[in-house]
Amino acid sequence: MDYNFREIEKKWQQQWRQNKVYAVRNDSERPKYYVLDMFPYPSGAGLHVGHPLGYISSDIYSRYKRLKGFNVLHPMGFDAFGLPAEQYAIDHGIHPAVSTEANINTFRRQLDNIGFSFDWDRELRTCDPKYYKWTQWIFLQLFDSWFNRETQQSGRIDSLVKIFEKEGNNAHAFPNTKYQLPSGQNKFSSQDWSLFDERTKQEVLMQYRVAYLAYTDVNWCEALGTVLANDEVINGVSYRGGFPVVKKKMRQWSLRITEYAERLLKGLEEIDFSESMKEIQRNWIGRSFGAEIRFDVRTPHPWPLSKGEGSENSDSRSKLTDPGYFASTLEQGKGTIDFSKENRKKSTEAEDKLWQELRNRKSEDFKFRRQYPIAGYIPDFVCVEKKLIIEIDGGYHEESEQKKFDHDRTKWLNEHGYRMLRFSNDEILNDLPAVLQKISKSLSQSVSPSPSEKGPVGELFLNVFTTRPDTIFGVDFMVVAPEHEIVKEITSAEQQPAIEEYLQYVQSRSEVERMAEVKKITGCFTGAHAVNPFSGREIPIWISEYVLAGYGTGAIMGVPCGDERDHKFAKHFGIPITNIIGEHYNGEEANPTKDAILQNSDFLNGLLMRDAIEVATKKIEEAGIGKQQINYKMRDAGWSRQRYWGEPFPIVYQDDIPYAMDEKDLPLELPPMEAFKSSGTGEGPLANAKDWVYINEHERRDTNTMPTHAGAAWYFLRFMDPHNDTAFADKTALDYWGQVDVYIGGAEHAVAHLLYARLWIKVLHDLGYLNFDEPFKKLINQGKITGDSRFVYRIRKTNQFVSAGLKDQYEVDALHVDVNIVDGLKLDTEAFRKWKPDFADAEFILEKDPVSTSPAGGGGRAGDGIYICGSAIEKMSKSYFNVVNPDEVVEKYGADTFRMYEMFLGPLEASKPWDIKGIEGVHRFLRKFWRLFAHEEKGLVIKNEKATDAEWKALYKTLKKVEEDTERFSFNTAVSSFMIGVNELTDLKCHKKEVLEKLLVSLTPYAPHISEELWKLIGNQGSILDASYPLIEEKYLVESSKNYPVAVNGKTRTELTIALEATQQQVEELVLSNDVVKRWLEGKPPKKVIYVKGRMVNIVV
RNA sequence: GCCCAGAUGGCGGAAUUGGUAGACGCGUCAGACUCAAAAUCUGGUUUUCGCAAGAAAGUGCAGGUUCGAUUCCUGUUCUGGGCACCA
């Protein structure tokens, strides 16, 4: 009766499937337990031995919990939408649905091979309309929600509308502080609200929705034809494929995850994730606590812009200058201003008529200015907010002097985003409505947003965010991001050419370059100065690429004595450095300490910096020049992808205003398509499905789809009730299963999937669908299994291969060789010749086997040598030929061996190399285990005799250790314990049923097939999967004495068996009379005898 | 540069609260069985010295605390992971 694992495993897998032993019910008396694996993406490559590591550990834990009496939910499904399938479709013309289906089947077959206990009746796929109906439905909940900062909770949009109707947005400012209403304001009253038209109302609400549409800087990848999320971009290139990525402004769906930053951060405290995983999330959220401080700006030639239409001030000047034709001298500037005044008097009838109309447009919130200087030129009318210029032909444009400037000016205006409308006098006088309509149309077109940081008109200031307000007196300069709007407004005439040049340089710099050359110091002085709000000192304002427009306010205060980067900047550009920390600053290097006593700091003098932070912040708030502020590095999550193979947005645009689709019309299914190339205009392939996109003249659909994170953000809820078609899951099921108790997966999902899932669950919780707001109670990251690559060394330009030990004598190229034709390091040269046609005629330079040195040893036949390969630990990858397929391992050793071996390799969380050699040991263990029950020839050897104390002790020792180890996911040591236990029972020649039966149950989670087989062989009814875990009888583990190590001065010298209840005195007597101890004492009296009960004895001399 | 984790025999690793370092497995050496091989079984296997008994050193490196440190503290090197002009 041999251990025929192939037959046994096949048989039980079949029976288990037939009997549906893994079906899980939602109504059980037993306590629930939810064990989940991270959603796999079914790639075309199939599984390698690294993938099942997590699945095996979760399976062991699930089966263990089941034996322990829990109702265990352990489901599996597929994250089946996504880029690779679509890329494959583009390359091979196979529909993503088809290739995905094929990949899933391969995956499923491979998983089944390993004997997992998944409840396949609950399987789900994100690309199934029955599933993504609910992904879309949840998206609509996000669309219909806003985050109430006061309560720190999500609420329904209609609750926000009620607030607006009552009090405007006074208590709930726009989440995006830079957002302004068309009027330029960011506050509105209840009355304003009631006067807003539908478009404006929707636009305002959009500013609050959790899922919202906005122009955002996105990571655009031309090669993939899509937008990528921040976490899909690595060092400026795409995560998949490594294509360049650039910033681009596009109208995109985003999730307002930034509003939840604080809750996501706080939530980390109550969940059991590894410290490193929490750290990654904390870094990603990037909270920094500090103050926002306002610095007034003094331009070198002040131009106090007065309210109204242009300026009456004689010293006013153009706020923007053009180096090409105007800016270099002030004289010309003055000339233009004079000319504008002159021109004003000559205004024509047409101009006046249009002006009357335009100035009345104030109610529409676009303010027109008349004869307002732009770039040193005075257009007839300009709307600065919308960057729209209106010119009326006739008059001085005819003059030849003017004409030659037209070209340069138009160029400048275009570069700066201005558009120009030209009307003739006749048009205005004869058909004013048509003219106004044209203007309205132009105004409704959007311009690149983000109006500059401007205070009340006539005043310019810069807000900076700092975590160190205590260093306010050490500020020696300001640095503004090159993209900052204010740059245009503050640049002096003298500096204009230099600034232009620098801006051009910045634009030419790709993300990749900027990231590669971090240490390079660049920058340019604007000519303007900022005023320190406390000391009144004027400090220069610079621009530099090291300041990021997207972070904080896009401007910083430079404190060179305390910040390394600021210090380098100051040194590089020769800016004088103020020392506020005395001897802590050595003049050579900045010192970011918080432990210095402040000097040169006015009211902060004598304070410890650490304490001064709060003092300074208070003072700043009192003086009304700033406020305490918390900043987050995290950005809102881009949620649109220009892709076909994803969930369509359940949104309909009615005349460009987005509205939620009716719930009853869900799912919005993908239209059938044959080709998936992007449209080329930045729109996704769906734009080509015109019938689907355009519902009617006024209504159209979104042509983007959601990212793969969408389906994965809530799938764990669907497993609880996977076939429900009236709700995403029934409330009773949600309440019964609750949080995922253990979530096992790779660390690569740290910031994307895990944050989005946590966000979705928080919103669903706030809206009342869930009674928990963290999805995963405990997270375990399994380590990677790395590949162990093998190399052969080809002598350059030959087909000769030299063994690793001799390769240094030649000029060689190392080539990866398939690990499957190498035994250890020894290459199978014949297999190598057959491996690839190129190598058919390969010749080998062999060496003596360095391992077996004896002449009789393995490679010892006279004249023979072997080919030794080089090796390296690398990631497991097809291109390295180091991939090991689990199917082959299972075929050779069986699933039970494979499962136990993967666990035996090392701690679950550590990454470790795959080495097939060790699997023999685990396989031998299972054979040895089998032999306790059955003998090859004699058949069953199991006996019904009473067990001895020694046998019970061996058993319970093992059970105790295995249980402890399994509980703490230390599966490698649990396998060791089984081995030790089986070795001991073998030594005891124990074949007793009452002992072995218990051991068998405890082995079931690890090796279910052999356990079930033996369970039946020794005459049990029912499945061992439903047995209960054996209880440990401690009485057999109680010891009466212990073999103590006896040390002299800390060095163990001998061992003594002493009764456990021995007293200190008894021990001292016993130990000191020992011969070995006496010898080591050399007659000297012991100073002290340390006796730790159950541990050790130490004699100090 | 910053943050986190880690470093133990020839290899994967164990030592759960500071208490016999190297469990278990691989590899390897020797032996048994065999005509022989495979499989299986038994024993040795951290290093150095020694026939042995035994002795000395030893958990990346340098210190410290302690009767006693792989474990705690300080510094440092290297490896892996994360973040990266983040103010």
Side-chain angles (χ1 to χ4, degrees), chain A residues 949-950 952-954 956-958 960 984 1033-1044 1057-1062 1091 1093-1095:
Chain A
D949 281 2
W952 283 126
K953 188 177 168 185
Y956 286 125
K957 215 174 63 187
T958 306
K960 192 173 179 179
E984 281 180 9
E1033 290 195 50
E1034 295 282 349
K1035 66 175 180 188
Y1036 291 104
L1037 295 174
V1038 176
E1039 312 248 357
S1040 60
S1041 65
K1042 183 182 160 59
N1043 210 12
Y1044 280 89
T1057 305
I1058 307 173
L1060 271 173
E1061 62 269 23
Y1091 163 57
K1093 199 174 166 183
R1095 292 290 187 187

Side-chain angles (χ1 to χ4, degrees), chain A residues 610-776:
Chain A
R610 206 173 278 289
D611 306 329
I613 295 177
E614 209 187 316
V615 177
T617 309
K618 245 192 189 144
K619 196 91 174 186
I620 287 162
E621 290 195 330
E622 278 166 20
I625 51 170
K627 58 182 191 303
Q628 194 171 299
Q629 175 88 26
I630 295 164
N631 257 12
Y632 299 95
K633 189 169 75 180
M634 181 168 64
R635 303 279 77 120
D636 279 345
W639 211 249
S640 293
R641 298 292 182 275
Q642 287 64 43
R643 285 281 151 179
Y644 171 77
W645 196 232
E647 300 86 352
F649 285 94
I651 292 289
V652 171
Y653 295 86
Q654 295 175 3
D655 293 324
D656 256 17
I657 305 175
Y659 291 97
M661 273 176 66
D662 204 315
E663 242 177 67
K664 69 174 167 35
D665 296 329
L666 297 180
L668 171 60
E669 291 197 35
L670 281 168
M673 289 183 84
E674 301 280 308
F676 310 101
K677 278 221 159 57
S678 59
S679 65
T681 57
E683 279 193 287
L686 283 178
N688 299 328
K690 298 229 157 38
D691 292 347
W692 182 84
V693 174
Y694 296 98
I695 304 164
N696 57 46
E697 216 177 309
H698 297 286
E699 294 186 320
R700 63 175 181 84
R701 301 190 194 282
D702 200 303
T703 58
N704 296 320
T705 54
M706 295 187 212
T708 169
H709 307 302
W714 73 283
Y715 74 106
F716 41 90
L717 300 177
R718 188 66 177 171
F719 279 136
M720 299 173 185
D721 189 12
H723 307 295
N724 196 327
D725 53 11
T726 57
F728 68 93
D730 192 76
K731 186 82 167 84
T732 54
L734 291 166
D735 289 347
Y736 175 67
W737 291 110
Q739 284 172 294
V740 173
D741 292 285
V742 183
Y743 195 28
I744 299 182
E748 66 272 18
H749 296 111
V751 291
H753 161 61
L754 286 172
L755 277 178
Y756 299 139
R758 293 182 60 213
L759 170 71
W760 283 41
I761 269 30
K762 285 190 189 310
V763 177
L764 288 174
H765 164 263
D766 293 353
L767 297 181
Y769 295 104
L770 305 175
N771 58 15
F772 50 93
D773 88 330
E774 281 290 345
F776 315 115

